[in-house]
Amino acid sequence: METTVLAPEGTTHFTDEQRDYLRAFFTGASAHLRPFAGHTREGLLTHDAASGTANLAAESEPAVHGTPVSDLCREELWKYEENPLDIWDKLLAHADENRAPAPDDLFRFKFHGLFYVAPAQDSFMLRLRIPGGILSAHQLRGLAQMAEEWGSSRADLTTRANLQIREFAPANIVRVLNRLHSLGLTSRGSGADNIRNITASPTSGLDPAELIDVRPLADALHYYILNSRDLYGLPRKFNVAFDSGGSISVVADTNDIGFVAVRVAEGRSVPAGVYFRVLLCGITGHKQFARDCGLLLRPEQAVAVAAAMMRVFSENGDRTDRKKARLKYLIDKWGVERFLAETEKRLAFPLLRVPESECEPRSPIDRAGHIGVHPQRQPGLHSIGVAVPVGRLPVAQMRALADVADRFGSGELRLTVWQNLLIPNVAGENLETALAAIRAAGLDVTAGAVLRGTVACTGNRGCKYAATDTKAHAVALAHSLDTRFPIQQPVNLHVTGCPHSCAQHYIGDVGLLGTKVNGAEGYQVVIGGGSDQDRGLARELIPSIAFADLPPVMDRLFAAYTDQRAPEESFLAFSRRHSIDELKAFCATKETTQP
């Protein structure tokens, strides 16, 4: 039987059942009560948990730029647990014990430019930082000695105007880093989640057609990074390039940030002069070029803007999913305007937004300008572009080129993104002797139309991800095509061993992506890619083909090109004006009719 509790006049009367229910309700509510106290943007205290402010009345989980530690991906957790810049004792221990690193330290070692590349090679690869790709003859000789004494007796020139040396035993990694420092070089931050080698137009300061010498900017950003500990350990790798507006490309539109020099003529909305346009989010392995973001910068602003943009990325990029951690994905999420607004908050000057149409068109790019002899802006001096097929440079050739630079130039060498190098400041009267010395070393300053535009990643001889021997295949195919077909216009062949696309196969006139075909080494073939003024992503021509079967297919395609091209038509233009079905028909075997 229910009982009624009498209550003072003016109050509510509850039955026993109601009272038990309310007691249980408030007991449960108090158990789930989560007090909230936070500060609004105006500095006022709020109890509203939905306000979006931090709850200062609760124990908080440690976070990395707002991402709770429990949500971090594996590599981010490794960086949180131990800063890779602080592992010198581990490097010493591994060297003393001649020991390979465990997976977490294998990742951390990359912050020092040391890559353990097993199972492809049971050893370390060293990647350098060479801002603008500029080396002295003394440094090149020192690197040759390192490669000979401890490594593979050769260097590999890379597509970031950089240099790698391979096959260092763990016992020698500290010796390698110390020797590098003694040469005035560094490898710090050349791998993993860091800002990679800063590239710049290789003929900067030499090119009669350039708008501005960008070497000081590449150097300045390089040293700013070295002196800014917080710019190590980004969400993922980050590429920056400076284009002088001259005759040789640095493929700025394949970088996360590309600074491209432009000229503004009189009568525009800003004073006439040389400025930089800013390109954002190049990631051609993911089929995207960097795009103009609407900014016009004075040259002296470029390094500060780069630093601000990198910090916005570091503080807001995704640290939970490495497949979505590049700058592209942050800007896809935010939009360009929000990214620029966040950048501007970190600058002491406003960003100037000026349409690209206010700037003069870029001067033409010489796609073969990285090879051969070219006059400099300095009267009587020349730069010599040396062909180094797919970047392989034995120590004897390293020393020979250093000698040529010292004897006939200014003791300087410049690496390019095309895996070759330049020797600048050679006087006209010394050209023939210099060329003879280069040829005596087994190198040359000429190459066929295909070989001079051929680049290849490391391949499966030195990289566990690669499915194919890219360098050997690239050289063999280029030589075959150059031997059979007298082509004058440049043809870029890009050969990469895996979907990471270190050789950027999507921007090649012909691009090859390594794969296995019935157990044999083979490739996906794409066609019609280009960068800069030829910007465009290549289209798939052949889904997969064994490399052994590829040369005759390419022979038929290039035969069609040489037979059917318009006067002065490049292979790129030819491939783009035909459909994929038409190009496939050119590749097909011609059936013969029996008499």
Side-chain angles (χ1 to χ4, degrees), residues 73-122:
C73 65
R74 180 185 63 170
E75 290 80 1
E76 289 293 335
L77 192 60
W78 287 340
K79 290 186 285 187
Y80 175 77
E81 291 171 343
E82 185 174 20
N83 191 314
L85 298 180
D86 298 331
I87 61 168
W88 186 252
D89 287 345
K90 280 190 173 180
L91 293 172
L92 290 170
H94 280 73
D96 287 343
E97 300 169 21
N98 197 28
R99 174 165 52 94
D104 56 344
D105 285 329
L106 185 150
F107 175 77
R108 295 184 185 106
F109 280 24
K110 294 177 183 179
F111 279 62
H112 299 266
L114 294 167
F115 295 72
Y116 189 67
V117 294
Q121 295 170 338
D122 187 17

Side-chain angles (χ1 to χ4, degrees), residues 580-595:
I580 287 295
D581 286 341
E582 290 170 331
L583 295 170
K584 285 181 177 179
F586 296 148
C587 294
T589 304
K590 298 291 189 296
E591 294 184 6
T592 58
T593 303
Q594 294 294 327

